[in-house]
Amino acid sequence: MWNSGHAEIPSLSIASGRRDAITAGARSTLTGLLRLLGSPAPALADGDAVPVPLRRLHAGATLFLEGGHADAVYFVQAGTFKLYRTAEDGYEQVLGFAGRAEVLGFDAVCSRQHPSAAQALEDAVVYALPIADILSPGPRVPALDQVLHLAVSHQLTRRDELAEVMAAVAAEVKLARFLLHLSARMAACGQSPRRLLLRMSRRDIASLLGVAHETVSRAFGALATQGVLAVDQREVELLDLDGLRRFARATRGATPRCASTALPEQRAAA
Amino acid sequence: MWNSGHAEIPSLSIASGRRDAITAGARSTLTGLLRLLGSPAPALADGDAVPVPLRRLHAGATLFLEGGHADAVYFVQAGTFKLYRTAEDGYEQVLGFAGRAEVLGFDAVCSRQHPSAAQALEDAVVYALPIADILSPGPRVPALDQVLHLAVSHQLTRRDELAEVMAAVAAEVKLARFLLHLSARMAACGQSPRRLLLRMSRRDIASLLGVAHETVSRAFGALATQGVLAVDQREVELLDLDGLRRFARATRGATPRCASTALPEQRAAA
DNA sequence: CGTCAAATTGATCGACTTCAATGCTCGTGG
DNA sequence: CCACGAGCATTGAAGTCGATCAATTTGACG
């Protein structure tokens, strides 16, 4: 079925049933959210008094749909998401993946409509911060605005890195960069940067990188043959990070001649 | 020339007249910045009392360098910028372009260091909002936080659109999408969506799209031959927007079979 | 007027796309 | 329980598009 893979979509039973271990109240306060985002300050004395709803999703569920009305911004507490847009002909263009501590749906703040969709690739939990809280002209929680700015800044940085991934010349280079990108995020979460469990299909990766999925497969094979990594289905072990980085470095030849041609006119007015 | 064509730094021309007659104090207040970003509310009674420094740059000047320390976030009042990173071998990877009302350098808020560089492609003016003002734990200007959230949200949206541009299969499709992207931004600024004056070189476009610059040249030629646009150096006229959109639509074949497989199981647990 | 960079055009080769077939894992139904 | 089917992943073969090298033209600036 749709969620074949290892998508342990448990019983079809709706919310009510299962022995949901997480009692929703547990960490669903502003303090919990601030901690997730690595708020610098212990901040906020009354943070525990401010509730921030948690939302739990099963693998395969969509957090929000493209074009859907946006009520909240989400912060990934656990799980992995796929961001994508669907073309008129049904082609699914993947825009990126998001994991723990990342922001989802912030791009909908300005239009109140989601420009893209988000789907959980495994069971997941997110904080849902109402957009109204963000844009309210009334009294504000300073720590929240700050931590929001920080989180979004991070997100912007990651998207630029993705651009570098996608712009690479060769398919192997794209894949190498993509894996290093994932690896870095693993490391940032305190996990091993060498062991990756890909939550997404080859097709999703291919869509993101802008190549055919067969090419992704072949690129994995090529990198494995060179000994920089080992692949077993969706388990990837990065055996030689430096070797992988060497692949990732490859560019479309620098500006031919001396790079000293830098900048003809370097004046900024105060 | 740099500002050849129809570079008439729009109707916002400053009180006194010519473009180099900008008396720096004139609009360099928080109110001016809020207005630039299309602040919904007339907001802020004392906005005129809060100064926000303007910075003026000549064509070719860099606003900030990759790796440089970040003191401020910038908002483009006039001009066009190129965002890029430089690889070890000197290759310049373009990450995007920014025009009026866009945010620059926000990705440096979290690390206080610019992950990429920004260079003015023509004479430009920007607001420089100190990062300290954004992250200060002290008393805040609510309208500023809001407008900041909105602007960054917009920026995030644009980057996702860029991903769609870069991920396209064929070179012509990439170029078509890129031009439509530019066109949309022109329209958003109240300018004609058909007449584009490219501020960047073919090489820059090629870098962004992840193709060779010769290919960009050929793609222009191909689109011109098909009659959807006319090119003269850096002046581009979009003759047939729908035709261009038809090019842009082309994808890597949708999910083979019926697209009715849409979304079988769309449940999220509360 | 001479130099240099940007832009265009051509020719060749390699890489990627595409079409097609097979193996694999897992869930479902016989 | 096992066999079947579905989707994912891998591999092969052939054609095409784009990268690369190279030459030429145009335009800009000193």
Side-chain angles (χ1 to χ4, degrees):
Chain A
M1 302 207 68
W2 344 278
N3 288 314
S4 55
H6 47 42
E8 49 250 69
I9 282 218
S11 54
L12 293 195
S13 62
I14 318 299
S16 57
R18 288 172 43 64
R19 70 151 190 59
D20 290 330
I22 299 180
T23 46
R27 308 172 47 78
S28 78
T29 65
L30 188 51
T31 298
L33 174 56
L34 294 180
R35 198 154 37 213
L36 169 66
L37 298 180
S39 177
L44 229 51
D46 57 341
D48 290 316
V50 183
V52 177
L54 279 181
R55 197 163 144 194
R56 318 183 67 243
L57 299 97
H58 289 134
T62 59
L63 181 55
F64 48 79
L65 288 167
E66 183 178 349
H69 178 73
D71 323 283
V73 185
Y74 305 93
F75 300 85
V76 182
Q77 154 73 226
T80 308
F81 287 83
K82 171 173 81 168
L83 284 156
Y84 62 96
R85 297 174 85 168
T86 307
E88 301 156 24
D89 65 354
Y91 177 73
E92 206 174 72
Q93 176 62 59
V94 174
L95 301 172
F97 303 103
R100 182 173 168 84
E102 292 198 57
V103 194
L104 284 175
F106 195 90
D107 48 2
V109 168
C110 60
S111 64
R112 292 297 215 132
Q113 231 182 277
H114 291 290
S116 55
Q119 180 183 31
L121 296 178
E122 58 182 325
D123 288 6
V125 184
V126 299
Y127 284 95
L129 182 69
I131 290 186
D133 289 1
I134 295 175
L135 295 180
S136 74
R140 311 179 69 74
V141 181
L144 179 58
D145 276 321
Q146 286 174 58
V147 94
L148 224 44
H149 288 318
L150 287 174
V152 176
S153 171
H154 235 114
Q155 205 64 26
L156 223 32
T157 304
R158 275 186 284 260
R159 293 218 75 64
D160 281 357
E161 287 167 9
L162 257 196
E164 237 179 332
V165 169
M166 299 172 62
V169 241
E172 284 149 34
V173 179
K174 290 187 184 187
L175 184 59
R177 290 188 187 180
F178 174 70
L179 292 174
L180 287 171
H181 183 76
L182 284 188
S183 172
R185 300 217 293 204
M186 294 290 287
C189 288
Q191 305 198 245
S192 165
R194 322 183 82 88
R195 280 209 150 292
L196 303 181
L197 184 72
L198 304 180
R199 267 37 201 253
M200 67 295 290
S201 71
R202 297 290 137 99
R203 185 181 297 272
D204 288 336
I205 298 175
S207 175
L208 179 68
L209 301 184
V211 299
H213 71 276
E214 296 95 327
T215 303
V216 172
S217 207
R218 280 185 252 267
F220 266 118
L223 291 175
T225 300
Q226 311 263 340
V228 297
L229 55 79
V231 193
D232 175 38
Q233 290 294 114
R234 294 193 175 182
E235 281 186 47
V236 178
E237 182 165 13
L238 308 182
L239 301 171
D240 179 5
L241 282 176
D242 284 321
L244 198 56
R245 271 188 267 273
R246 214 170 306 123
F247 272 99
R249 256 195 280 282
T251 70
R252 194 182 311 275
T255 43
R257 63 217 152 290
C258 60
S260 63
T261 327
L263 302 164
E265 176 170 11
Q266 214 71 284
R267 277 170 288 109
Chain B
M1 289 290 300
W2 293 106
N3 289 313
S4 57
H6 43 45
E8 56 238 68
I9 297 214
S11 44
L12 288 209
S13 61
I14 315 309
S16 43
R18 301 226 341 107
R19 75 168 214 285
D20 51 353
I22 299 176
T23 47
R27 308 173 52 78
S28 79
T29 64
L30 189 50
T31 298
L33 174 55
L34 295 180
R35 196 152 40 211
L36 169 66
L37 298 180
S39 177
L44 228 54
D46 56 342
D48 289 316
V50 183
V52 177
L54 278 181
R55 197 163 145 193
R56 317 181 70 241
L57 299 96
H58 287 124
T62 59
L63 181 55
F64 49 78
L65 290 168
E66 183 179 346
H69 178 71
D71 323 284
V73 182
Y74 305 93
F75 301 86
V76 182
Q77 153 72 228
T80 308
F81 287 84
K82 171 174 81 168
L83 284 156
Y84 62 97
R85 298 174 86 168
T86 307
E88 300 156 24
D89 64 355
Y91 177 73
E92 206 174 72
Q93 176 61 60
V94 175
L95 301 173
F97 303 103
R100 181 171 168 82
E102 293 199 57
V103 194
L104 285 175
F106 195 91
D107 47 2
V109 167
C110 61
S111 63
R112 292 297 215 129
Q113 229 181 274
H114 290 290
S116 55
Q119 181 183 28
L121 295 178
E122 58 182 325
D123 288 6
V125 184
V126 299
Y127 284 96
L129 182 69
I131 290 185
D133 289 2
I134 296 176
L135 295 180
S136 75
R140 310 179 69 74
V141 180
L144 178 59
D145 276 322
Q146 285 174 58
V147 94
L148 223 45
H149 288 317
L150 287 174
V152 175
S153 172
H154 235 114
Q155 204 64 27
L156 223 31
T157 304
R158 275 187 284 261
R159 292 218 76 63
D160 282 357
E161 286 168 9
L162 258 196
E164 235 177 334
V165 169
M166 299 172 62
V169 240
E172 284 148 36
V173 179
K174 289 187 186 188
L175 184 60
R177 292 188 185 179
F178 174 70
L179 293 174
L180 286 171
H181 183 76
L182 285 187
S183 172
R185 300 217 295 204
M186 294 289 286
C189 288
Q191 303 199 244
S192 165
R194 322 183 82 87
R195 281 208 149 294
L196 303 180
L197 184 71
L198 304 179
R199 268 38 201 255
M200 67 295 290
S201 70
R202 299 288 139 98
R203 186 181 296 274
D204 288 336
I205 297 176
S207 176
L208 179 68
L209 300 184
V211 299
H213 70 276
E214 295 97 325
T215 302
V216 172
S217 207
R218 279 186 253 267
F220 266 118
L223 291 176
T225 300
Q226 312 261 342
V228 297
L229 54 79
V231 193
D232 176 36
Q233 290 295 117
R234 294 193 176 182
E235 281 186 49
V236 178
E237 182 166 12
L238 308 182
L239 301 171
D240 179 6
L241 281 176
D242 284 321
L244 197 56
R245 273 188 267 270
R246 215 170 305 124
F247 272 98
R249 257 194 280 279
T251 68
R252 194 184 309 275
T255 44
R257 65 212 152 292
C258 62
S260 63
T261 327
L263 299 166
E265 177 174 8
Q266 223 65 279
R267 275 175 291 104

